[in-house]
């Protein structure tokens, strides 16, 4: 009846009447507390039970372990499990775990990502002479797949079949999902067909896995066919199913089809949630239809759906992309009124958008306000502002900010360094830009192809060809892979003077690693 508190009242009456509660009394209350997710109180009651001189039995231990695992408190569940195994003074030697308890703890460990520990217990199950059942195999296969060990999961799948343990829909769904995650679509499809041949009815999770993979591959029409198959097999699509399809339509730019599907959801018994709205809002913003995106946003409050930080970040980026700076600032104010706390991504979007629209002073003001309100600024926010200032040729301000990074307890990364090098190169401060390359080495930050290309472009514009050749050699020594821009620099270098061809003996070593062989041959 879900009246656990009243159960405690009855326990009090039992004690007042001089009766001694037994293991069944405590187990019943522990189960009730676990049902209400009050697992810490259930654990305390479990300890009190021992203090009352009432030894836990297999059922009481299993009940608590199951409750702890369901609540995600696996570490505490493992502790209780180990107490059972060790047979301490409280438990005696009569309370050894059975196959159900092993299955519960293995499932909990797998869900929390402790797959290695789960594998240990799985081997222990075999050593003790228990026969692992479909639930244990399914838990371990699911855990292995979610942690990227799909080959191990396949081996277990074959093992269970060799033991005449028929995989159920959960096992098939887990393995299909794992195969999709590692890009093995053909094998996943074959497993789905095998599942149908075995007479197993796929559930909504199975169909969602298949639809998700098809959508990610851009095969949205095939995904729609799978949706029709769901309906034909009397499997009701969930909101997640529709969200996957919405995302798929938006991914391939079919925003009108996405809107039709969105409208049809309610008539098919699925209510759109905040995630559904966010997908469609993002699709409209990507398509440049910001007015439609804002209309969807205005639908949220009347439908009692709370806008999330994702909603606001998507809309802010969309508004700033189409130069609606005033609307973006108003939305940012509205966001704070609605008590949605801006995150680092919000400030990156705002600062980047303001800079791209020429509002550099406003971007700086937002940044300094962050410092005043003690918001923890990260390197992405600073890099974004430095980039905007460099592109506006406000190099001095950008340099001051770059030099103040230790004040913010921040260490520049390769992106920050490359941005600053690019800014200095554009205003001809090549020596200062070269010094930054040396600073990178001192800081233990490795320059990448963008860093080298940026510096080489700067020296090329300044007609300092020997320096370009020197940087190419340094790039080769550091095993930094060239890209198309690198080869364009080489072409420009040779077009200015072919004498540098003899000095570029590093190009053959690049050719081995560079996939754009045709472009490389042209350069030669």
């Amino acid at each position: 009846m879900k009246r656990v508190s009243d159960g405690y009242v009855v326990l009090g009456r039992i004690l007042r009447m001089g009766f001694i509660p037994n293991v069944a009394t405590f187990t019943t209350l522990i189960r009730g507390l676990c049902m209400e997710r009050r697992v810490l109180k259930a654990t305390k009651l479990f300890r009190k039970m021992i203090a009352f001189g009432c030894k836990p039995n297999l059922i009481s231990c299993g009940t608590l372990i199951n409750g702890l695992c369901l609540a995600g408190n696996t570490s505490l569940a493992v502790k209780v499990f180990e107490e059972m195994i060790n047979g301490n003074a409280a438990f005696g030697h009569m309370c050894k775990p059975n196959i159900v308890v092993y299955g519960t703890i293995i499932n909990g460990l797998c869900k929390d990502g402790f797959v290695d520990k789960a594998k240990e217990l799985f081997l222990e199950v075999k050593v003790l002479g228990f026969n692992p059942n479909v639930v244990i195999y399914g838990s371990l296969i699911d855990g292995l797949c979610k942690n990227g060990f799909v080959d191990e999961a396949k081996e277990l799948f074959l093992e269970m079949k060799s033991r005449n343990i028929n995989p159920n829909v959960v096992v098939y769904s887990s393995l299909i999902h794992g195969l999709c995650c590692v890009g093995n679509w053909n094998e996943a499809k074959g497993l789905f067909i095998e599942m149908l041949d075995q007479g197993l009815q796929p559930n909504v999770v199975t169909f969602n896995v298949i639809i998700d993979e098809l959508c990610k591959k851009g095969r949205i029409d095939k995904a729609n066919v799978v949706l029709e198959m769901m309906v034909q097999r009397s499997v009701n699509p969930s909101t997640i199913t529709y969200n996957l399809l919405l995302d798929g339509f938006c991914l391939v730019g079919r925003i009108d089809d996405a809107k039709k599907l969105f409208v049809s959801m309610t008539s098919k018994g699925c209510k759109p949630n905040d995630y559904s709205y966010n997908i469609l809002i993002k699709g409209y913003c990507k398509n440049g239809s910001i007015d439609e995106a804002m209309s969807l946003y205005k639908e949220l409050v009347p439908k009692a759906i709370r806008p999330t930080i994702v909603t606001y970040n998507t809309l802010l980026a969309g508004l700033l992309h189409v130069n609606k700076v005033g609307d973006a600032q108003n939305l940012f104010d509205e966001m704070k009124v609605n008590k949605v706390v801006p995150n680092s991504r919000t400030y990156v979007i705002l600062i980047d958008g303001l800079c791209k629209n020429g509002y550099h002073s406003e971007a700086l003001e937002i940044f300094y306000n962050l410092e005043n309100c003690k918001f923890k600024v990260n390197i992405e926010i600073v890099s974004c502002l430095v980039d905007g200032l460099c592109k506006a040729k406000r190099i001095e301000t950008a340099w001051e900010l770059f030099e103040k990074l230790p004040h913010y307890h921040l260490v520049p990364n390769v992106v920050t360094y490359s941005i600053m090098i690019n800014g200095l190169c554009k205003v001809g401060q090549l020596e200062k830009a070269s010094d930054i390359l040396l600073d990178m080495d001192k800081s233990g930050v490795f320059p990448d192809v963008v860093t080298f290309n940026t510096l080489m472009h700067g020296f090329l514009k300044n007609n300092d060809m020997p320096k370009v050749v020197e940087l190419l050699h340094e790039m080769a020594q550091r095993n930094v892979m060239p890209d198309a821009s690198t080869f364009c620099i080489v072409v420009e270098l040779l077009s200015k003077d072919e004498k540098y061809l003899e000095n570029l003996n590093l190009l053959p070593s690049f050719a081995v690693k560079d996939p754009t062989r045709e472009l490389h041959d042209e350069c030669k």
Side-chain angles (χ1 to χ4, degrees):
M1 292 171 68
K2 298 179 183 177
R3 290 168 60 183
V4 181
S5 298
D6 288 340
Y8 264 95
V9 173
V10 177
L11 177 64
R13 185 174 294 179
I14 288 170
L15 295 169
R16 283 195 302 275
M17 293 176 72
F19 295 122
I20 299 170
N22 62 15
V23 67
T25 316
F26 283 108
T27 303
T28 305
L29 276 173
I30 287 166
R31 183 180 289 110
L33 290 167
C34 288
M35 283 169 64
E36 293 183 350
R37 293 290 193 270
R38 293 159 68 187
V39 289
L40 294 179
K41 193 160 184 178
T43 308
K44 282 180 185 176
L45 185 63
F46 184 80
R47 299 300 175 197
K48 278 184 185 177
M49 171 183 179
I50 298 168
F52 266 94
C54 187
K55 285 190 175 182
N57 62 13
L58 189 60
I59 297 170
S60 52
C61 293
T63 300
L64 181 61
I65 287 169
N66 184 55
L68 289 166
C69 288
L70 287 173
N73 201 334
T74 310
S75 56
L76 194 51
V78 169
K79 190 178 176 183
V80 176
F81 177 78
E82 285 172 350
E83 286 177 0
M84 291 179 74
I85 294 286
N86 296 332
N88 63 18
F91 285 87
H93 290 279
M94 62 178 185
C95 193
K96 293 293 182 183
N98 62 5
I99 190 69
V100 176
V101 176
Y102 269 104
T104 302
I105 205 80
I106 287 170
N107 185 46
L109 286 165
C110 288
K111 281 183 177 174
D112 277 9
F114 302 113
V115 183
D116 289 336
K117 180 67 177 173
K119 282 159 68 178
E120 282 177 28
L121 292 182
F122 181 71
L123 291 173
E124 196 175 297
V125 165
K126 290 180 177 179
V127 170
L128 289 171
F130 291 122
N131 290 318
N133 55 26
V134 68
V135 175
I136 292 178
Y137 273 108
S139 298
L140 205 49
I141 286 169
D142 186 55
L144 288 166
C145 287
K146 283 177 179 171
N147 285 274
F149 304 111
V150 179
D151 287 336
E152 281 188 59
K154 283 161 64 179
E155 285 173 19
L156 267 184
F157 182 75
L158 293 173
E159 181 187 304
M160 70 182 290
K161 289 207 289 187
S162 70
R163 286 172 169 245
N164 294 319
I165 300 169
N166 294 323
N168 60 17
V169 64
V170 176
V171 177
Y172 272 106
S173 299
S174 297
L175 193 51
I176 289 168
H177 182 246
L179 290 165
C180 287
C181 286
V182 294
N184 198 339
W185 166 244
N186 287 332
E187 203 168 341
K189 186 170 66 173
L191 206 58
F192 182 72
I193 293 165
E194 179 189 310
M195 180 183 171
L196 296 175
D197 290 342
Q198 294 292 325
L200 280 173
Q201 168 75 316
N203 60 18
V204 67
V205 175
T206 324
F207 281 115
N208 285 351
V209 167
I210 298 293
I211 287 171
D212 183 39
E213 184 62 18
L214 289 168
C215 288
K216 281 176 182 173
K217 288 181 174 291
R219 299 169 70 182
I220 190 68
D221 291 323
K222 288 279 185 186
N224 263 328
V225 170
V226 176
L227 178 67
E228 288 169 14
M229 188 193 294
M230 283 181 79
V231 176
Q232 286 167 8
R233 288 176 169 265
S234 303
V235 179
N236 293 325
S238 65
T239 302
I240 294 171
T241 314
Y242 284 107
N243 286 346
L244 292 169
L245 284 161
L246 284 172
D247 205 24
F249 277 123
C250 290
L251 189 69
V252 295
R254 289 167 61 177
I255 192 72
D256 291 335
D257 289 328
K259 185 61 191 282
K260 285 175 190 172
L261 184 68
F262 180 82
V263 171
S264 72
M265 280 177 71
T266 308
S267 64
K268 291 176 180 174
C270 276
K271 193 177 178 183
N273 57 15
D274 61 315
Y275 193 65
S276 316
Y277 275 93
N278 288 342
I279 291 168
L280 203 52
I281 286 169
K282 184 181 177 182
Y284 276 126
C285 287
K286 191 179 173 183
N287 199 42
S289 309
I290 194 65
D291 292 334
E292 285 84 352
M294 287 301 292
S295 295
L296 278 173
Y297 164 70
K298 286 167 188 173
E299 284 181 21
L300 291 172
V301 176
K303 291 189 176 180
I305 299 172
R306 184 178 167 82
T308 65
I309 187 67
V310 175
T311 317
Y312 284 108
N313 285 351
T314 305
L315 285 167
L316 285 169
L319 288 165
L320 290 164
H321 185 69
V322 294
N323 310 319
K324 293 193 173 186
V325 176
D327 290 342
Q329 288 170 326
N330 291 336
L331 186 68
F332 182 63
D333 293 335
E334 196 174 311
M335 174 183 177
K336 289 186 283 187
V337 169
N338 289 334
K339 296 180 181 177
V340 178
V341 181
N343 60 14
S344 297
R345 179 67 189 148
T346 314
Y347 289 111
V348 167
I349 289 165
L350 265 178
I351 288 169
D352 182 59
L354 288 168
C355 287
K356 282 177 178 171
N357 283 286
Y359 291 79
H360 300 94
S361 299
E362 286 80 356
L364 277 165
E365 187 182 341
I366 285 174
F367 179 78
Y368 290 124
N369 282 339
L370 286 180
E371 191 180 1
N372 294 335
C373 68
K374 297 182 179 177
F375 182 89
K376 193 173 180 181
V377 176
N378 62 21
I379 194 64
E380 285 76 22
I381 294 172
V382 182
S383 299
C384 188
L385 184 54
V386 169
D387 186 45
L389 292 166
C390 285
K391 284 174 180 172
K393 296 189 178 176
R394 293 176 64 172
I395 299 298
E396 293 305 318
T397 311
W399 182 253
E400 282 174 26
L401 195 58
F402 181 76
E403 286 198 309
K404 276 183 75 178
L405 283 174
H407 168 73
Y408 300 113
H409 307 289
L410 294 173
V411 178
N413 56 25
V414 66
V415 175
T416 322
Y417 277 117
S418 298
I419 287 166
M420 199 66 245
I421 287 170
N422 187 43
L424 291 166
C425 286
K426 281 188 174 176
V427 294
Q429 296 185 32
L430 298 172
E431 193 175 332
K432 207 170 183 178
S434 286
D435 289 342
I436 288 182
L437 194 63
L438 297 173
D439 286 341
M440 290 178 77
D441 284 331
K442 288 176 188 173
S443 302
V445 179
F446 300 105
D448 61 9
V449 66
V450 176
T451 317
F452 278 106
N453 286 348
T454 304
L455 261 177
M456 287 189 290
H457 269 299
F459 283 108
L460 201 59
K461 282 184 181 178
N462 204 46
N463 289 318
D464 191 344
M465 308 308 161
K467 186 66 179 176
V468 177
V469 173
E470 183 189 318
L471 285 167
L472 278 166
H473 279 280
E474 188 177 342
M475 190 175 167
Q477 286 165 8
R478 289 173 181 259
N479 291 319
V480 176
M481 292 286 288
D483 61 9
S485 295
T486 316
F487 287 113
C488 288
I489 289 166
V490 173
V491 170
E492 196 172 342
L493 178 69
L494 297 178
S495 70
K496 288 182 183 286
D497 198 330
E498 286 188 13
K499 71 177 182 181
Y500 294 110
L501 186 63
E502 294 172 9
N503 294 320
L504 295 177
N505 56 4
L506 69 155
L507 277 175
S509 66
F510 275 162
V512 177
K513 301 168 190 171
D514 182 56
T516 53
R517 178 81 201 198
E518 198 174 310
L519 178 61
H520 173 262
D521 289 341
E522 281 184 42
C523 291
K524 284 178 74 177

